[in-house]
Amino acid sequence: MDLNKKIRTTIGQGHLYDSVIETIGNTPVIKLKNLSPKNVSIFVKAEFFNPAGSVKDRLAINIIEEAERKGILKPGQTVIEATSGNTGVGLAMVCAQKGYPLVIVMAESFSVERRKLMRMYGAKVILTPKEEKGLGMYKKAIELAKLNNWFLASQFETSANADIHQYTTAQEIINDFKGTNLDYIVTGYGTGGTVTGIGREIKSKLKDTKIILSEPENASLLLSGVEQERSSDGYAEKSHSAFQPHLIQGWTPDFIPLVIQESIDEKLYDDIIPISGPESIAASIKLAQKEGILTGISGGGTLAVALKLAKTSKDGTVILAMLPDTGERYLSTMLFENIAEEMNEEEISIMKSTPGFHLKN
Ligand code: PMP
């Protein structure tokens, strides 16, 4: 230990928070000192610092506050949404704090941690069959909202989604990279809120920054070039022909959401680089073990793409990869499949190396 080094100190935020909602956003951008190749700097934007653990806390608060401003959400009215999980957890946090009952509709295939988290915050969770995919849960939420006059959050269509990324996420990135070049931003898409909001701002303010979008290799809806069929109000009506079930929870539902359609139409991203589920999982594990940063499978996906980009980039390139959520949300999934519960041989031999406190088996 270097005894000349002083102990680390902290000074707090300099202000008191009025509620948990005020802690949403302003997530840190962190350099990957061990995984960045020598000539390139990779940074990650750690969205798991949001209070309910994901990027979707941003959208959750904006959907609710915009509906309050417009008067379309009445005090005490039930909120309903179809979600692969993180939006549900974010909405559950916001609705608990603001006193709105919440019903979440979710396909049974998403991780059980997500269901339990939402119920912990007091939400009701309605499951739909996995065979019906994303569109099944989405149509069920629309039916229930109509029948009960509940407020449907509509994350896949609402302008409140990309708006909040334009007004918060993009501004944070611009501010944090002030004075430094930023060559690439890498993100995937679920609704497309992140890429559309960032894209609107970055395309006009950081003209040299390229936005790289990723999607699952086995469900490359955008790369397929096949357009999505929609109703006149923008709702997707049919499952997309290029969709196949994939491992990257939160990315690419079985339809192209209206929110990302803006990115396609306005060319808000520069390139699409697909990535496989296993490569995403491997990158997520590497990030935990080499950098001490725990993210989900989609965060592994963006990192895997960033590492590929880094290999062919010129010296001095700076890459930012979005990390949408925390790895703790995946304890029951493939991400943790090879992480053991029991002691391995090496651990057993460490245990046996002193006389006390042996487990029998
Ligand atoms: N990763 C995860 C784990 C998510 O839950 C989501 C949102 N569904 C995304 C990525 C994609 O974010 P967006 O909806 O803003 O495109």
Side-chain angles (χ1 to χ4, degrees):
M1 196 166 85
D2 181 355
L3 292 177
N4 293 322
K5 265 199 181 160
K6 286 214 186 92
I7 190 165
R8 233 169 247 285
T9 57
T10 56
I11 56 162
Q13 307 288 340
H15 63 267
L16 303 175
Y17 289 100
D18 209 29
S19 80
V20 70
I21 281 161
E22 306 308 319
T23 70
I24 298 172
N26 277 330
T27 54
V29 169
I30 306 164
K31 186 167 179 176
L32 301 188
K33 290 202 151 182
N34 301 320
L35 288 180
S36 296
K38 253 205 273 20
N39 58 333
V40 172
S41 298
I42 301 179
F43 289 85
V44 291
K45 188 159 172 65
E47 289 296 308
F48 52 79
F49 275 85
N50 281 302
S54 91
V55 66
K56 307 304 288 225
D57 293 359
R58 297 175 187 265
L59 150 97
I61 188 57
N62 200 40
I63 286 183
I64 297 300
E65 286 185 344
E66 192 186 79
E68 287 174 340
R69 285 192 294 272
K70 288 183 170 164
I72 49 179
L73 175 60
K74 303 281 182 297
Q77 190 180 356
T78 296
V79 175
I80 182 165
E81 182 59 329
T83 157
S84 64
N86 282 328
T87 299
V89 179
L91 278 171
M93 176 264 295
V94 168
C95 288
Q97 201 286 324
K98 284 180 165 277
Y100 296 105
L102 175 67
V103 177
I104 292 300
V105 184
M106 191 169 97
E108 61 180 336
S109 44
F110 297 112
S111 75
V112 294
E113 291 86 326
R114 288 162 149 81
R115 298 179 204 171
K116 286 211 172 191
L117 280 169
M118 290 182 245
R119 289 181 174 137
M120 178 75 183
Y121 281 111
K124 292 190 171 51
V125 181
I126 311 299
L127 298 175
T128 52
K130 59 176 180 299
E131 299 74 37
E132 301 298 328
K133 296 178 255 186
L135 214 53
M137 66 185 194
Y138 174 81
K139 286 184 172 166
K140 185 77 180 170
I142 296 172
E143 275 177 21
L144 285 168
K146 279 194 183 136
L147 178 74
N148 298 293
N149 194 26
W150 289 340
F151 171 71
L152 180 63
S154 297
Q155 59 163 336
F156 296 105
E157 295 81 24
T158 181
S159 57
N161 185 349
D163 289 352
I164 195 66
H165 290 289
Q166 181 182 356
Y167 283 90
T168 66
T169 323
Q171 306 309 326
E172 292 165 26
I173 294 171
I174 291 169
N175 207 26
D176 289 349
F177 282 92
K178 212 163 21 191
T180 316
N181 59 313
L182 173 58
D183 301 286
Y184 297 103
I185 299 174
V186 184
T187 178
Y189 71 91
T191 60
T194 308
V195 66
T196 303
I198 290 179
R200 283 183 195 159
E201 219 41 23
I202 298 296
K203 287 285 142 208
S204 60
K205 303 237 168 86
L206 296 182
K207 294 208 164 65
D208 295 329
T209 303
K210 297 222 172 335
I211 297 183
I212 307 299
L213 190 60
S214 188
E215 56 182 358
E217 203 172 66
N218 65 335
S220 296
L221 273 54
L222 302 192
L223 275 179
S224 78
V226 178
E227 285 188 17
Q228 178 67 45
E229 290 181 42
R230 304 180 191 285
S231 64
S232 55
D233 49 5
Y235 284 80
E237 292 192 308
K238 277 206 187 116
S239 220
H240 194 279
S241 56
F243 182 81
Q244 281 182 57
H246 60 80
L247 294 177
I248 312 176
Q249 294 193 27
W251 272 15
T252 315
D254 62 318
F255 56 95
I256 299 175
L258 190 64
V259 173
I260 201 166
Q261 193 63 47
E262 178 183 332
S263 278
I264 303 168
D265 296 343
E266 304 295 324
K267 302 191 171 41
L268 296 182
Y269 53 87
D270 297 273
D271 204 358
I272 301 179
I273 302 183
I275 197 81
S276 73
E279 282 174 292
S280 304
I281 289 173
S284 175
I285 293 171
K286 208 149 94 178
L287 186 64
Q289 300 187 349
K290 298 282 181 223
E291 297 283 354
I293 298 175
L294 191 63
T295 190
I297 304 173
S298 67
T302 55
L303 174 61
V305 172
L307 288 167
K308 278 191 183 182
L309 265 176
K311 276 195 186 143
T312 54
S313 293
K314 61 178 195 315
D315 289 3
T317 299
V318 176
I319 305 174
L320 173 66
M322 295 297 295
L323 302 184
D325 68 357
T326 165
E328 285 189 33
R329 209 144 281 179
Y330 299 82
L331 288 166
S332 70
T333 73
M334 295 264 295
L335 184 58
F336 279 80
E337 199 178 52
N338 295 321
I339 309 292
E341 272 175 42
E342 304 303 333
M343 285 189 283
N344 62 22
E345 273 177 28
E346 193 188 352
E347 290 163 338
I348 290 171
S349 81
I350 295 173
M351 175 190 70
K352 289 186 172 165
S353 65
T354 66
F357 313 110
H358 282 194
L359 280 187
K360 296 272 171 320
N361 303 308

